[in-house]
Amino acid sequence: MARPGLFVTFEGMDGSGKTTQLARLAGRLRQAGREVLETAEPGGTRIGQQIRDILLDERNRDLAPRAELLLYFACRAQNVEEWILPALARGAVVLSDRFTDSTMVYQGYGRGLGAAAVETLHEIACQGLQPDLTLFLDIDLDTSLARARRRNAEAARRDRMDEQAAEFYRRVRDAYLDLARRHPGRVRIIRGGQPEDAVAADIWEVVRAHV
Ligand code: TMP
C-alpha cells in the first residue's frame, strides 16, 4: 500500500525492553523533525484500552482462546482505523508496541490456534496494512521470565500472560525467530540483552535507512 508515512512495529517477549526503546526512538525521530505517533497493543485508543482491561484481567482466566484472539484483533482494528491509517496518510512515523506478529506468535503458535486463522483475521481487521519495518528485540527465555516477574512484583500486580509456563514462552520465541527468517526484509533481529544504549544504537542503525 503506497503511503507517505512509515510504520514501525516493536516485537519481543515480555520484558524485552521494547517499550523503553520505543520511547527512545520516538524522541530521536522528533528531534530529527518527524511527526511521531506512539501506540501500543493491546490498548492504544480509548476503546482499545477497555479491551485491554478485559484481556489482562486475572479474573478472566476462563477467557476462551478464540475469544482472546478476536479481542486482540478488535483492539487492533480500532487502532488501525482511528489512529494508524490517518497518521500514515499525513506522513507521520507510527511506532507500535506490538502488532499482528504478536498475535501470530502468542495465539497462532503459543496457543496453537494456527497461522491461517491469524492471517485471515489480519486481512479483515487491518485492511491490508503491514509494517514497513519490525524490530524484534530478542532476549533469552530466562531473562524474559525473570524481567516479567520482577516488573509485575514492582507493579504489585499479576496478569494472565505472566502466569504462562516456560514452555509457552519457548514456543513464542521460536515463532518470532521463524518470522524473522521468513520475512528478512521486514523483520530485523535486535540483540535485546545488551545495555540499553547499545540496543538503542542498533535500532537507530536500522531505522535511519528508512527515514
Ligand atoms: P505488553 O506487556 O507488551 O503490554 O503485552 C501484554 C501481553 O499481551 C503480552 O504478554 C503479550 C500479549 N499479547 C498477545 O498475546 N497477543 C497480542 O496480539 C498482543 C498485542 C499482545
Side-chain angles (χ1 to χ4, degrees), residues 14 18 41-42 52 72 76 98 102-103 106-107 161:
D14 305 68
K18 61 190 167 38
E41 293 197 351
R52 178 187 175 91
Y72 279 116
R76 185 163 305 132
R98 300 193 180 281
S102 283
T103 318
Y106 282 87
Q107 280 68 50
M161 298 308 296

Side-chain angles (χ1 to χ4, degrees), residues 89-111:
R90 18 171 233 277
V93 180
V94 176
L95 304 180
S96 185
D97 190 340
R98 300 193 180 281
F99 198 62
T100 295
D101 292 328
S102 283
T103 318
M104 182 60 85
V105 302
Y106 282 87
Q107 280 68 50
Y109 288 94
R111 294 206 185 282

Side-chain angles (χ1 to χ4, degrees), residues 10-171:
F10 281 69
E11 293 287 350
M13 311 284 291
D14 305 68
S16 61
K18 61 190 167 38
T19 308
T20 306
Q21 292 295 334
L22 187 151
R24 285 184 69 145
L25 179 62
R28 192 151 192 179
L29 287 165
R30 287 193 182 104
Q31 270 176 3
R34 295 294 302 247
E35 180 196 346
V36 180
L37 172 74
E38 293 171 67
T39 184
E41 293 197 351
T45 62
R46 183 184 59 81
I47 293 169
Q49 287 294 337
Q50 293 178 15
I51 300 173
R52 178 187 175 91
D53 289 345
I54 298 172
L55 283 163
L56 300 186
D57 187 337
E58 66 168 305
R59 287 170 307 175
N60 292 342
R61 284 206 190 85
D62 53 344
L63 184 65
R66 284 178 180 75
E68 182 188 47
L69 173 70
L70 291 168
L71 284 172
Y72 279 116
F73 272 113
C75 192
R76 185 163 305 132
Q78 185 70 30
N79 205 3
V80 166
E81 177 90 26
E82 189 178 326
W83 279 0
I84 299 178
L85 288 178
L88 292 174
R90 18 171 233 277
V93 180
V94 176
L95 304 180
S96 185
D97 190 340
R98 300 193 180 281
F99 198 62
T100 295
D101 292 328
S102 283
T103 318
M104 182 60 85
V105 302
Y106 282 87
Q107 280 68 50
Y109 288 94
R111 294 206 185 282
L113 295 175
V118 175
E119 280 163 7
T120 302
L121 290 170
H122 175 79
E123 280 312 305
I124 297 167
C126 302
Q127 308 176 46
L129 176 68
Q130 294 289 355
D132 298 301
L133 180 64
T134 295
L135 302 165
F136 166 45
L137 271 62
D138 187 32
I139 55 171
D140 62 52
L141 286 174
D142 290 343
T143 312
S144 175
L145 281 167
R147 283 192 192 173
R149 284 196 189 115
R150 195 172 339 116
R151 199 185 44 180
N152 274 356
E154 278 165 12
R157 74 178 171 95
R158 296 180 65 78
D159 65 38
R160 296 172 55 252
M161 298 308 296
D162 291 336
E163 296 199 345
Q164 305 303 323
E167 176 50 34
F168 178 85
Y169 278 81
R170 192 183 321 282
R171 279 206 298 278

